[in-house]
Amino acid sequence: MRDLPLVSDPNLITGIEHAEDAGVYKLSPELALVQTVDFFTPTVDDPYTFGQIAATNALNDVYAMGGKPLTAMNIVCFPVKEMDIGILRDVLRGGLDKMREAGVLLVGGHSVEDSEIKYGLSVTGVIHPDKVLFNRGAVAGDSLILTKPLGTGILSTAAKSGEIDPQQLREAIDSMTRLNKKAAELIMENGSIHACTDITGFGFLGHASEMVEGSTVGLRINSAAVPLFNGLQKLVEEGFVPGGLYRNKEFRIAQIETADIFPSWLLDVFFDPQTAGGLFFSLPAELAASLVGKMHSAGIGAAAIVGEVVADHPGRIFVY
Ligand code: CO
Ligand code: CO
């Protein structure tokens, strides 16, 4: 998207220039629109579950900006001649159930005939213009918190080959169908968040890189504290990595430095493209532990302090 001409408008709070999670446009001093769109091919076999995952993934981009989603529209690509329409019905039902959980109203949609099924949402939400959470703005001394385990791309890839046990897949699905609604509410209640994004297609270190690229701060990530799904080492070493993982790694590896001894499978996991991943944000260190505690009490059990923001290697990430 970097070759597109940039739009400038005094009411545009975030546009396309900083890889933000959603566009934000100010309507009045008290109200801004949050808009995002996301759709993709199935990541799991079950149509209803796929619908839930795709809707969660799209809605989460509004939460990542600190916004409240209000309305959504379905985006559907479907091979109407080759596939049973009942499958589409199940996908849409999954999406609808997540919209209901989010308190979001379905107001329309569009479908086209395609060789492969694809589903997602365009979501519109609102936020106070002064409360928008940007992916940049982290301050040296901040703590970094991640709210969901990593590894959904690897687990989904292995599941397609029937290489993981149902329990392992269940955990990944539970995570991919969990809205970041409650986590975002706790974040907004805290009110002291400096930078926030959600972990999706570019992987943990990809989105972390966006947070510091070209800025005056860098990150230090304590890999032992980063929440992961079980069994990832074996799957990565057996080659169950999604195509996007190595693209993510290649694109961002120049920004990353690791400790002398760092397991290569774990670095791969840190670039695993996530679907409907957790929120990743920075806040003053003295506020971090109590917010993690509140998240645990609210059922966001994986939330953890995973690192800190530093001034000594601006724009770069050190992983140990
Ligand atoms: Co996002
Ligand atoms: Co997105």
Side-chain angles (χ1 to χ4, degrees):
M1 300 279 194
R2 272 152 217 257
D3 48 348
L4 289 176
L6 294 180
V7 186
S8 122
D9 183 304
N11 292 317
L12 186 65
I13 297 177
T14 71
I16 55 176
E17 66 271 43
H18 283 309
E20 281 291 351
D21 299 292
V24 183
Y25 184 86
K26 183 157 73 171
L27 296 173
S28 77
E30 278 80 46
L31 191 66
L33 271 183
V34 184
Q35 294 179 289
T36 182
V37 58
D38 229 324
F39 67 111
F40 44 75
T41 53
T43 46
V44 291
D45 286 336
D46 179 59
Y48 175 79
T49 306
F50 168 54
Q52 286 188 305
I53 291 172
T56 302
N57 187 70
L59 291 161
N60 276 352
D61 269 330
V62 176
Y63 296 125
M65 301 306 293
K68 176 180 157 44
L70 291 181
T71 58
M73 294 199 251
N74 281 330
I75 296 163
V76 176
C77 303
F78 193 73
V80 72
K81 293 192 189 79
E82 292 99 63
M83 213 178 254
D84 175 4
I85 197 76
I87 293 176
L88 179 57
R89 207 169 293 133
D90 287 342
V91 170
L92 296 180
R93 202 164 46 82
L96 204 56
D97 280 354
K98 277 296 145 183
M99 285 180 247
R100 203 168 288 145
E101 184 187 329
V104 163
L105 210 58
L106 180 69
V107 294
H110 186 71
S111 57
V112 294
E113 197 179 336
D114 197 355
S115 55
E116 212 177 349
I117 183 167
K118 301 180 188 78
Y119 173 65
L121 298 178
S122 107
V123 187
T124 301
V126 288
I127 190 168
H128 190 290
D130 300 336
K131 295 194 171 152
V132 179
L133 301 175
F134 300 98
N135 61 6
R136 302 156 68 82
V139 176
D142 279 0
S143 287
L144 295 163
I145 293 176
L146 176 64
T147 66
K148 282 187 187 181
L150 303 176
T152 62
I154 292 160
L155 291 173
S156 304
T157 303
K160 277 181 187 153
S161 320
E163 285 300 322
I164 60 175
D165 67 77
Q167 178 54 28
Q168 249 181 317
L169 184 62
R170 191 69 251 165
E171 284 168 16
I173 286 173
D174 284 350
S175 177
M176 289 189 285
T177 55
R178 187 172 308 153
L179 295 169
N180 287 332
K181 180 174 192 277
K182 188 70 210 176
E185 282 167 8
L186 291 170
I187 280 176
M188 295 309 276
E189 205 179 283
N190 175 281
S192 300
I193 306 314
H194 289 144
C196 179
T197 189
D198 64 336
I199 305 301
T200 53
F202 295 125
F204 175 51
L205 288 181
H207 291 280
S209 295
E210 285 170 350
M211 206 176 249
V212 295
E213 186 176 36
S215 79
T216 57
V217 293
L219 307 181
R220 280 176 65 86
I221 303 294
N222 173 11
S223 62
V226 177
L228 303 177
F229 289 108
N230 292 320
L232 294 175
Q233 177 174 2
K234 181 166 174 282
L235 294 174
V236 171
E237 287 175 351
E238 285 171 358
F240 294 104
V241 291
L245 190 154
Y246 290 123
R247 279 198 300 278
N248 288 342
K249 191 174 174 182
E250 201 178 326
F251 182 54
R252 288 295 184 181
I253 196 69
Q255 256 177 278
I256 313 296
E257 201 178 317
T258 65
D260 288 342
I261 298 169
F262 195 84
S264 78
W265 69 269
L266 187 54
L267 192 60
D268 286 352
V269 169
F270 284 0
F271 283 105
D272 182 36
Q274 302 298 285
T275 301
L279 290 170
F280 178 57
F281 59 95
S282 99
L283 79 174
E286 66 275 16
L287 302 176
S290 88
L291 182 51
V292 166
K294 281 182 191 162
M295 286 186 165
H296 290 174
S297 314
I300 307 160
I305 299 171
V306 299
E308 57 185 329
V309 181
V310 295
D312 45 277
H313 46 84
R316 298 178 56 79
I317 301 177
F318 182 71
V319 190
Y320 63 97

